[in-house]
Amino acid sequence: MRGADAALSATQAWMPQVATTVTLAVTTASSAAQAVTAGEAVRFSNAGTTPVAIMFGTSAVVATEATSLDIMPGSAETITIAAGVTHFAAIMQSGTGRLKFTRGAGA
């Protein structure tokens, strides 16, 4: 995105794409899921009590505790992602949980 479109995207409210939420079961082993559709941003939601480390990429993506981005317990983060991202992976330090992610636009 360039110019006015990029500025609008940076300031507009979060706008999820319809029927794009995916729930991923998360354990101490990396697991991945395919994103339902394209979108410039993804909202990750961790309703659990343990941080979830996430990574995004293609079908070969793997999350690791050492190099992935943490989504803290009870929080949601909206992240702008690069074109070509098709999958998301997640891992937890201990226990089990679930991570929801939704593609869309805005902040």
Side-chain angles (χ1 to χ4, degrees), residues 21-26 43-54 70-77 90 92 96-101:
T21 299
V22 174
T23 301
L24 178 62
V26 185
R43 176 164 285 176
F44 294 93
S45 176
N46 176 8
T49 58
T50 304
V52 174
I54 62 165
D70 284 339
I71 304 297
M72 300 310 290
S75 70
E77 299 286 342
M92 298 179 86
T96 60
R98 65 188 179 120
L99 178 73
K100 288 186 175 185
F101 59 91

Side-chain angles (χ1 to χ4, degrees), residues 65-99:
E65 284 289 322
T67 61
S68 300
L69 175 68
D70 284 339
I71 304 297
M72 300 310 290
S75 70
E77 299 286 342
T78 303
I79 301 168
T80 301
I81 57 170
V85 169
T86 59
H87 289 72
F88 303 96
I91 190 170
M92 298 179 86
Q93 224 174 31
S94 63
T96 60
R98 65 188 179 120
L99 178 73

